[in-house]
């Protein structure tokens, strides 16, 4: 299958596919960081954050699957090797073992900020390509992160 099968121009959609694969790489690193935070959180906020990190990594796992399936829908293969994710991701791995609970929250907020930047760039590219399906998907993911970032910042006592 290729983009023309869903009434999109292959040449116009190629930048979207490339950006979606970069987005996928970033999401995988973010996902693994959430797992690390879930496994390694300690302290007085353990019960609250353990549950929240699980909620967030479960959401990220579903998001990753949707991104990969969208790349396939557009007729290209999604990246599927961790070496590609690490090489292409703006989000970097961190060691969550021994990380303070509030530092974990700040780290996740930073990741989400980077993902939102990527999403805004993707929204421009999908609009330019006339790719409403990808645009709707990315917009939905961005709205979730905008709200989650607000909640996490409130948890930290920040504006």
């Amino acid at each position: 299958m290729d983009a023309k099968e869903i009434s999109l121009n292959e040449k116009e959609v190629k930048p979207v596919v490339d950006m979606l694969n970069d987005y996928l790489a970033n999401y995988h690193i973010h996902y693994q960081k959430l797992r690390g935070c879930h496994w390694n959180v300690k302290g007085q906020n353990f019960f609250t954050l353990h549950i929240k990190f699980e909620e967030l990594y479960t959401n990220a796992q579903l998001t990753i699957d949707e991104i990969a399936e969208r790349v396939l829908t557009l007729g290209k293969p999604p990246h599927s090797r961790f070496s590609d994710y690490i090489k292409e991701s703006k989000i970097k791995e961190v060691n969550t073992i021994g990380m303070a609970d509030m530092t974990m929250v700040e780290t996740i907020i930073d990741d989400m900020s980077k993902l939102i930047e990527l999403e805004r760039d993707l929204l421009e590219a999908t609009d330019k390509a006339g790719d409403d399906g990808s645009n709707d998907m990315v917009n939905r993911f961005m709205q979730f992160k905008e709200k989650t970032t607000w909640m996490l910042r409130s948890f930290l006592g920040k504006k």
Side-chain angles (χ1 to χ4, degrees), residues 7 16 18 21 25 32 41 62 73 105 131 148 151 155:
S7 302
V16 172
D18 293 341
N21 264 322
Q32 193 57 43
V41 67
L62 295 171
T73 299
V105 175
D131 182 1
T148 302
M151 290 178 166
F155 180 80

Side-chain angles (χ1 to χ4, degrees), residues 109 147-159:
I109 290 170
K147 183 176 181 179
T148 302
T149 298
W150 159 68
M151 290 178 166
L152 292 173
R153 289 182 62 75
S154 293
F155 180 80
L156 292 175
K158 295 183 175 184
K159 288 184 179 182

Side-chain angles (χ1 to χ4, degrees), residues 1-18 71-77 129 131:
M1 182 170 163
D2 60 29
K4 69 182 175 193
E5 298 293 331
I6 56 172
S7 302
L8 290 170
N9 180 296
E10 187 84 18
K11 187 176 180 181
E12 292 173 356
V13 165
K14 183 179 181 337
V16 172
V17 172
D18 293 341
V71 172
L72 288 164
T73 299
L74 296 173
K76 303 298 178 206
D131 182 1

Side-chain angles (χ1 to χ4, degrees), residues 42-114:
K42 297 196 181 339
Q44 65 183 11
N45 294 306
F46 172 82
F47 288 106
T48 301
L49 290 176
H50 188 72
I51 292 167
K52 179 50 84 176
F53 291 143
E54 182 174 12
E55 173 191 316
L56 292 174
Y57 79 65
T58 300
N59 179 272
Q61 182 181 28
L62 295 171
T63 300
I64 285 167
D65 193 53
E66 279 194 65
I67 296 165
E69 288 176 352
R70 186 62 190 175
V71 172
L72 288 164
T73 299
L74 296 173
K76 303 298 178 206
H79 292 323
S80 58
R81 298 181 319 167
F82 275 98
S83 60
D84 292 331
Y85 303 150
I86 291 167
K87 182 176 80 176
E88 294 179 19
S89 180
K90 291 180 182 179
I91 295 173
K92 299 303 173 198
E93 294 180 298
V94 296
N95 185 356
T96 57
I97 297 170
M99 184 182 280
D101 57 355
M102 297 307 213
T103 303
M104 288 177 172
V105 175
E106 289 173 353
T107 300
I108 298 307
I109 290 170
D110 289 344
D111 283 3
M112 288 188 172
S113 176
K114 288 178 180 121

